[in-house]
Amino acid sequence: MKPVESLTEAEAVEELTRLADEITAHDIRYYQQDQPSVSDAEYDALKQRNAAIEARFPHLIRENSPSLRVGAARSEQFAPVEHGVPMLSLDNAFSDEDALEFDARVKRFLRLDEEVYYTAEPKIDGLSCSIRYEKGRLVQAATRGDGRVGEDVTANVRTIKEIPTKLEGEGWPDVIEVRGEVYLGHAEFAALNEAAAAAGQKTYANPRNAAAGSLRQIDPKITARRPLRFFAYAWGYVSAPFAETQWEALQKLKAWGFQITPQSRCVKGAEGLLAAYAAMEAERPKLGFDIDGVVYKVDRLDWQQRLGFVSRAPRWGVARKFPAQQARTVIEAIDIQVGRTGALTPVARLRPVTVGGVVVTNATLHNADEIARLDVRVGDTIVLQRAGDVIPQILRVILEERPKDAVPYEFPHVCPCPLKTDIVRETTASGAETVVRRCSGEFACPFQRINHLLHFVSRRAFDIEGLGEKQLTAFFERGWIRAPADIFRLHEKRDELLAMERMGETSVGNLLANIEARRTIGLDRFIYGLGIRHIGETTATIMARGYGSAAHFLEAMDKVAARDPEAIEELDAMDQIGDAVIEAAAAFFGEDHNRAMVQDLFAELTVLDAEKPKTDTAVAGKTVVFTGALERMTRDEAKAQAERLGAKVSGSVSRKTDIVVAGPGAGSKLKTAAELGIQVLTEDEWLEMVGSQEPTPP
Ligand code: IVH
């Protein structure tokens, strides 16, 4: 694996695309199916590599970047519950340096010279849960879900003995969402798996999955039989503040009847952070339940509030992860997978190996260069690394154990797809070769087309339920669905569908109804569904808003493909859209068959005009510039607050600027603002303008 510093831009683009797909697939297996296929450390490393590449190439941050979301969508089996305050995630730290940097960042942000007190709490490896109490009574419990909306698991949570249905003691707020981790101890996990194995049922890979699987049972009677446990460590919405520090809050939660982790402590400064980590690592084997790290939190809640959140994680806390062990195993085969865009990814099929409790059977080898660099051969014994700042797949080959007859791996010249096309090496816009190899079959390649169709029907695109990989492949092979428009003509095959095995009146009826329901679609989903490289969900939404209607979008795309300067400028002027998107759009609409495919599809649909951007705060959609000294908040806080309220913060004043907030010492920016006639506010005026708009702090 190449160090991030030496990646070219083209390589970064390719890797970010691959990482987004890979992480999404893992998210679905982990959050929806409770069945991860990689270890947590491998997953973390993927996310970290993604973050490191994004840090180096911020303009390449993908709209669907895994760094911008928490978890995955909830399962449809449970009713949705909107959290009073979103359930977000923590950023990870992996080393002493990361922990020191966290402390330094906190002090910098708050402009402090004194040492900061933190809580250091074990990071319980279970699943987080938010439990709402009203007047001391448990009224609702929800899983995290996508962070905003979780799954209603109230009936199941009521069966967990360690979760009080009525709060003890006194002093609890009228309404409080208590948050913590549902988990299973080692002994309970072993007993559960033993019983399952004896009954011939499926066993769980690790206690976390067992806890998730046990909590997310449709029948609460099954949950009741599982010895689930719970540690409280946080809260969401509260009707009134109830503590001044995290430590005090933990003690109150305990007094109200919750278990809190006895290993938690309150520590001082960077030194305290490091010592707490070392102590927790030593205690880890004796705990009797899984922890995967230590959570550091700024103790003072007023400071936590000032620090706030950036993107999906708080600035006031971080999860310091334990390094995971390495494992050895044997490469049994190297297969080539064909992606939606035809990119070929070699995948090592491994002799199953347990790393940190999860059985790992596959590891991506990324590309031919990576295989050559490692000189991985079928039959080799390799080391899987599960921590650090690189993707911990295959670290190295143990040469001493190489079988005598092992031959160097030769990347195939022919694609594994049924067309058996030549494999071509991808080039950048300037003609340089990249590490990526592609199937040259393009539109004719059935693998690419099936993957493309799968993207089209996926949840975030056209969201057609009942049309999964199995059905699509079957319909593709019969020639009924070859392109997206065919989906909307599937009703013509009703009799043939009914003649298929396991397709009764009901399932055919449901499938056709689901398809009909999507014949009317938003412009954003329409654009996203086309599966154009670099045009993910957010970009599609931006384009939809920018063009307003499908007619305008299609007309503009034809012009972009014809390199019309005005059309390119119009697209370029849209927020966050750069060359990669323009090139991808031009390439896509430059192909006759793509244009025909889109027109054919468009003729089947009613595409709704795009929604106007949200305007429910006083500053939403406005571009704000802060200049001069701010006295009531730091610049970072001001920026974070403005962005929270939907404004865009810019560093320089231009005609696009709506508001300049000027403090003492403001210079040229204030002058420019005056020249351009832009509204200038003092810090106090700004705070007054946004004050009532601030979300209630947790
Ligand atoms: S505090 C803003 N404290 O780790 C999120 N989380 O990546 C605040 N977790 O979703 C979370 N032990 O599932 C917190 N002592 C602890 C924790 C903990 C485990 C989990 C939790 C959370 C994830 C954060």
Side-chain angles (χ1 to χ4, degrees):
M1 168 101 9
K2 256 193 171 183
V4 172
E5 307 78 67
S6 49
L7 284 181
T8 64
E9 183 156 336
E11 286 166 350
V13 167
E14 193 58 40
E15 220 186 310
L16 288 175
T17 310
R18 189 185 51 70
L19 283 166
D21 289 349
E22 205 172 330
I23 293 170
T24 305
H26 290 320
D27 279 347
I28 291 171
R29 290 186 63 82
Y30 186 94
Y31 290 108
Q32 286 183 11
Q33 303 168 348
D34 301 326
Q35 253 175 354
S37 53
V38 292
S39 67
D40 289 358
E42 274 176 295
Y43 175 82
D44 284 345
L46 289 171
K47 290 209 37 160
Q48 241 211 327
R49 173 102 180 157
N50 186 73
I53 300 175
E54 287 180 344
R56 204 182 136 218
F57 300 98
H59 61 290
L60 296 183
I61 296 180
R62 297 165 54 93
E63 50 292 313
N64 65 344
S65 168
S67 58
L68 302 177
R69 64 164 190 265
V70 174
R74 69 210 145 67
S75 145
E76 306 277 304
Q77 293 175 329
F78 298 92
V81 174
E82 188 161 349
H83 300 300
V85 167
M87 289 182 83
L88 301 177
S89 187
L90 291 166
D91 276 339
N92 290 330
F94 292 95
S95 60
D96 280 354
E97 291 82 74
D98 289 353
L100 296 180
E101 173 51 29
F102 166 65
D103 173 57
R105 220 168 36 233
V106 165
K107 285 163 79 173
R108 246 191 340 262
F109 192 95
L110 297 172
R111 297 233 176 101
L112 292 176
D113 286 329
E114 68 202 90
E115 293 290 13
V116 175
Y117 282 88
Y118 297 96
T119 61
E121 307 169 19
K123 185 169 187 302
I124 317 299
D125 199 7
L127 77 155
S128 49
C129 199
S130 184
I131 308 157
R132 189 176 169 99
Y133 291 85
E134 288 176 10
K135 302 213 181 306
R137 306 257 171 195
L138 189 163
V139 294
Q140 190 166 56
T143 63
R144 179 163 71 175
D146 64 5
R148 196 179 61 79
V149 180
E151 301 155 320
D152 188 334
V153 286
T154 313
N156 299 358
V157 159
R158 283 186 191 282
T159 70
I160 301 177
K161 290 187 192 61
E162 288 187 345
I163 297 182
T165 47
K166 199 168 156 272
L167 296 181
E168 296 167 14
E170 54 191 5
W172 20 266
D174 253 8
V175 183
I176 178 167
E177 288 175 353
V178 174
R179 293 185 175 170
E181 205 83 353
V182 172
Y183 70 100
L184 261 183
H186 290 156
E188 294 88 353
F189 168 68
L192 180 66
N193 259 359
E194 239 168 69
Q201 292 161 351
K202 116 177 162 183
T203 54
Y204 289 102
N206 57 40
R208 197 215 81 89
N209 299 128
S214 302
L215 183 65
R216 297 162 80 247
Q217 289 285 338
I218 303 294
D219 180 359
K221 287 205 274 314
I222 300 182
T223 309
R225 290 201 289 269
R226 309 274 170 96
L228 290 172
R229 306 184 59 185
F230 182 76
F231 278 125
Y233 51 66
W235 57 99
Y237 175 78
V238 279
S239 54
F242 65 96
E244 288 183 0
T245 62
Q246 168 72 12
W247 189 252
E248 186 194 349
L250 289 175
Q251 307 317 314
K252 292 234 162 121
L253 289 169
K254 189 173 173 193
W256 298 338
F258 293 96
Q259 301 295 318
I260 60 167
T261 42
Q263 299 75 21
S264 291
R265 58 200 88 193
C266 190
V267 301
K268 185 176 172 186
E271 228 174 83
L273 294 179
L274 302 192
Y277 174 81
M280 221 80 85
E281 201 176 26
E283 285 170 62
R284 185 183 186 191
K286 294 171 264 167
L287 295 178
F289 53 87
D290 272 357
I291 65 172
D292 57 345
V294 180
V295 178
Y296 299 141
K297 300 176 188 167
V298 169
D299 192 37
R300 270 180 62 167
L301 299 181
D302 56 338
W303 285 356
Q304 283 196 7
Q305 210 192 315
R306 276 181 62 194
L307 285 154
F309 289 78
V310 59
S311 182
R312 308 290 295 157
R315 276 197 205 83
W316 47 256
V318 77
R320 168 95 193 259
K321 294 296 215 52
F322 291 129
Q325 317 82 352
Q326 298 178 346
R328 283 177 177 211
T329 189
V330 174
I331 304 228
E332 296 189 323
I334 297 177
D335 290 344
I336 303 289
Q337 282 179 348
V338 189
R340 163 162 59 93
T341 57
L344 304 176
T345 310
V347 178
R349 306 292 176 200
L350 306 172
R351 181 168 299 163
V353 60
T354 308
V355 199
V358 172
V359 182
V360 180
T361 51
N362 298 316
T364 171
L365 284 161
H366 304 292
N367 52 55
D369 288 18
E370 174 72 355
I371 297 183
R373 192 185 67 78
L374 289 166
D375 184 21
V376 188
R377 305 179 184 187
V378 173
D380 271 343
T381 298
I382 50 94
V383 179
L384 276 176
Q385 155 110 5
R386 298 180 50 243
D389 60 356
V390 290
I391 294 178
Q393 296 119 2
I394 294 169
L395 190 66
R396 62 192 152 85
V397 171
I398 302 173
L399 285 175
E400 303 79 63
E401 297 188 25
R402 170 166 282 169
K404 292 218 166 27
D405 55 352
V407 287
Y409 180 76
E410 208 184 322
F411 208 91
H413 298 287
V414 209
C415 183
C417 79
L419 292 181
K420 311 247 172 296
T421 57
D422 288 343
I423 287 177
V424 292
R425 220 173 158 145
E426 189 173 79
T427 51
T428 62
S430 55
E433 280 200 335
T434 73
V435 292
V436 181
R437 283 164 169 82
R438 272 181 200 289
C439 164
S440 59
E442 300 262 340
F443 204 60
C445 165
F447 280 24
Q448 288 184 51
R449 290 181 72 169
I450 289 183
N451 284 329
H452 185 253
L453 286 164
L454 277 172
H455 167 79
F456 182 83
V457 300
S458 65
R459 205 173 51 80
R460 292 173 184 278
F462 273 64
D463 190 20
I464 302 181
E465 223 180 295
L467 208 46
E469 185 163 3
K470 227 174 64 206
Q471 295 83 352
L472 263 180
T473 309
F475 300 157
F476 187 89
E477 280 165 359
R478 288 169 171 78
W480 301 343
I481 295 182
R482 286 291 161 112
D486 297 333
I487 294 172
F488 296 95
R489 294 189 282 257
L490 193 63
H491 57 87
E492 294 166 11
K493 302 278 180 228
R494 196 185 175 97
D495 293 343
E496 289 92 328
L497 285 169
L498 284 168
M500 283 175 76
E501 227 178 275
R502 277 200 288 275
M503 291 287 265
E505 279 287 349
T506 320
S507 51
V508 170
N510 285 345
L511 173 61
L512 295 177
N514 292 343
I515 293 173
E516 273 323 297
R518 294 291 182 263
R519 201 180 277 281
T520 301
I521 195 90
L523 179 57
D524 49 350
R525 283 180 183 260
F526 174 74
I527 298 176
Y528 176 60
L530 298 179
I532 305 167
R533 292 182 77 198
H534 304 309
I535 303 189
E537 231 185 330
T538 309
T539 305
T541 306
I542 292 168
M543 290 172 79
R545 287 180 175 168
Y547 289 121
S549 70
H552 188 187
F553 164 73
L554 293 173
E555 190 189 329
M557 289 301 107
D558 280 346
K559 289 185 182 162
V560 168
R563 303 276 164 192
D564 175 294
E566 265 179 42
I568 289 182
E569 202 184 304
E570 182 186 17
L571 181 53
D572 199 20
M574 290 181 200
D575 199 21
Q576 296 172 42
I577 288 187
D579 289 348
V581 170
I582 296 172
E583 283 312 314
F588 184 89
F589 284 95
E591 298 278 350
D592 289 344
H593 61 80
N594 284 339
R595 273 206 311 276
M597 180 272 279
V598 176
Q599 285 301 346
D600 191 22
L601 170 66
F602 184 54
E604 293 291 339
L605 303 173
T606 304
V607 182
L608 302 173
D609 289 354
E611 268 179 42
K612 293 273 164 286
K614 280 207 166 66
T615 49
D616 52 2
T617 75
V619 296
K622 301 220 163 141
T623 301
V624 184
V625 174
F626 292 97
T627 181
L630 297 177
E631 290 167 327
R632 292 177 47 188
M633 51 191 172
T634 66
R635 190 65 72 82
D636 283 345
E637 280 179 89
K639 182 168 186 289
Q641 181 196 41
E643 285 173 349
R644 263 201 309 271
L645 299 171
K648 201 173 134 192
V649 178
S650 165
S652 58
V653 178
S654 73
R655 280 182 204 287
K656 288 190 186 164
T657 311
D658 297 297
I659 301 171
V660 171
V661 182
S668 64
K669 287 183 195 168
L670 185 54
K671 212 167 128 232
T672 316
E675 279 163 17
L676 295 174
I678 293 165
Q679 182 182 18
V680 177
L681 300 178
T682 63
E683 187 181 355
D684 283 348
E685 285 166 344
W686 162 260
L687 285 173
E688 199 175 308
M689 181 168 190
V690 298
S692 57
Q693 312 276 330
E694 268 291 36
T696 345

